[in-house]
Amino acid sequence: MMHSENNVTLTGSSTATESLIRAKELVNQLELGNIEQADSIISEICKTRENDLFQDVGKLTRELHQTISEFGGDSPLNSLTNKEVTDARHDLKYVVGLTEQSANQTLGAIEESVPLLNSLSEHAINLQKLLNGQINEPTKSVGFESIAAEIDSYFAMVIVETKNIHQHMNTVLVAQGYQDITGQIIQRVSTMLQDVEQSLLAILQVNSQHINEDELNKSAKNNTGYGPSVPDTDNADVMQNQDDVDELLSTLGF
Amino acid sequence: MDKNMNILVVDDFSTMRRIVKNLLIEIGFKNIAEADDGKTALPILEQGGIDFLVTDWNMPGMAGIDLLKAVRANPELAALPVLMVTAEAKREQIMEAAQAGVNGYVVKPFTADTLKNKIDKVFERVES
């Protein structure tokens, strides 16, 4: 599939000396007033040029035809675009779903756990107050027996609620299982993208001289945003972390 | 800083809204409303009563930067403190947000401490 070794170039076969000889002869005939001779030299030059051009166009057409038929048949790019890219799209959709599900499970478990922890803490603070009151000002206290009963019910509460919190922690634990699955899927998609990249590079190499660099490098400004940047991608325009952002903002007077 | 203030959290991802909301509750805030992009946020802001806006940048419908500009262009809302919490981290974007009048800028992924620090800073400056 690689044709880089026989790239088509539109160069004529006639050499500079040949052209010079013809040109001198043309001038010579014109000076002598031999219009017919001069005309025949001109058409001879044109014919050579045409032959060169036809040869080059023919070669180019053959190359293109070969490339297209290779890609059209059982080429990797064909199966990549037909099946694997579609599969990858489904795979990535699944990744989005899995990560969302996991985040929701984790957030749910946390939202259920926090009030339990708060209530345990509040009860403990109240009990501590009661107990301190009993020790420091026994006459004003509700009495030790009453405090003992409170402590007993608190222990019962701790036993039940820590079990509940433990269950929520297990939910968080299990929810992290998404990483294994999404990691494998993303790796698979990444390998597929590498194959596509290589196939596209092969096309680029065949047709390199017909591609306008500016077109390739063109990138539009996007007001809705670019999405997350990935750390260590070596782009000076992108802040790598909050410290970078803070530094930039401080230069702007923040 | 009044912990009873009304905060509007704008993000198109419900999980991110939940995370921000939980962190705000953790800091001590109680009144937190949500919107999923600038288009749904703007009418809520225009109704009045929101004291602090926390918004993402990259959202369908109306992006956070456009929401910020709309807020600053509205005399009723122009003084509203705005914190951007976003994955957008290009130099030009941060400069654009600063020029548009953002009060603070947090890049995702962020920690609970970062969010708290930036909110503290926003209100230090607003109240001084």
Side-chain angles (χ1 to χ4, degrees), chain A residues 153-173:
Chain A
S153 82
Y154 179 67
F155 283 160
M157 182 191 172
V158 169
I159 290 164
V160 172
E161 300 302 23
T162 48
K163 210 176 242 173
N164 285 333
I165 292 167
H166 198 143
Q167 238 165 28
H168 292 313
M169 295 296 108
N170 272 340
T171 307
V172 172
L173 183 82

Side-chain angles (χ1 to χ4, degrees), chain A residues 3-11 56-57 59-60 63-64 201-213 216:
Chain A
H3 298 289
S4 52
E5 71 275 6
N6 51 354
N7 265 353
V8 182
T9 45
L10 285 166
T11 49
D56 281 340
V57 170
K59 205 170 161 197
L60 195 64
E63 293 262 4
L64 264 176
L201 265 180
I203 301 180
L204 266 183
Q205 274 164 349
V206 171
N207 298 298
S208 54
Q209 66 243 84
H210 311 295
I211 291 160
N212 186 344
E213 287 274 331
L216 285 177

Side-chain angles (χ1 to χ4, degrees), chain B residues 41-83:
Chain B
L42 204 52
I44 299 172
L45 293 167
E46 282 165 351
Q47 268 174 25
I50 299 292
D51 307 302
F52 181 33
L53 172 63
V54 179
T55 183
D56 184 24
W57 182 313
N58 191 349
M59 295 180 289
M62 186 184 196
I65 186 71
D66 295 325
L67 177 63
L68 171 64
K69 287 174 182 170
V71 163
R72 291 290 177 255
N74 182 336
E76 303 272 310
L77 300 171
L80 180 72
V82 179
L83 178 70

Side-chain angles (χ1 to χ4, degrees), chain A residues 100 103-104 107-108 111 114 221 223-229 236-239 241-242 245-246 248-249 252 254, chain B residues 15 18-19 22 57-58 63 65-66 87-96 98 102-103 105-107 114 118:
Chain A
E100 187 182 1
N104 279 326
L107 287 164
E111 284 168 2
V114 168
K221 187 179 183 301
N223 205 37
T224 58
Y226 303 90
S229 66
D237 262 358
V238 178
M239 304 295 107
N241 52 45
Q242 185 68 41
V245 174
D246 291 347
L248 175 61
L249 283 175
L252 297 167
F254 271 74
Chain B
T15 48
R18 271 177 91 178
I19 291 167
N22 276 296
W57 182 313
N58 191 349
I65 186 71
D66 295 325
E88 302 300 322
K90 282 194 169 225
R91 177 184 299 271
E92 63 189 50
Q93 290 178 303
I94 295 159
M95 291 172 75
E96 187 182 356
V102 82
N103 300 84
Y105 201 104
V106 174
V107 280
T114 303
K118 297 307 160 197

Side-chain angles (χ1 to χ4, degrees), chain A residues 19-80:
Chain A
S19 303
L20 191 65
I21 292 168
R22 284 213 183 98
K24 276 182 179 163
E25 207 181 321
L26 177 62
V27 174
N28 196 22
Q29 295 297 341
L30 283 170
E31 277 170 355
L32 290 171
N34 294 339
I35 302 300
E36 240 172 75
Q37 289 284 346
D39 275 352
S40 115
I41 292 169
I42 290 172
S43 57
E44 203 184 314
I45 293 170
C46 288
K47 209 174 153 195
T48 320
R49 274 268 161 256
E50 271 172 19
N51 279 345
D52 288 346
L53 188 67
F54 280 136
Q55 247 173 36
D56 281 340
V57 170
K59 205 170 161 197
L60 195 64
T61 311
R62 256 200 320 282
E63 293 262 4
L64 264 176
H65 178 74
Q66 201 179 342
T67 314
I68 290 164
S69 51
E70 273 177 16
F71 288 133
D74 53 353
S75 89
L77 192 64
N78 194 43
S79 79
L80 279 173

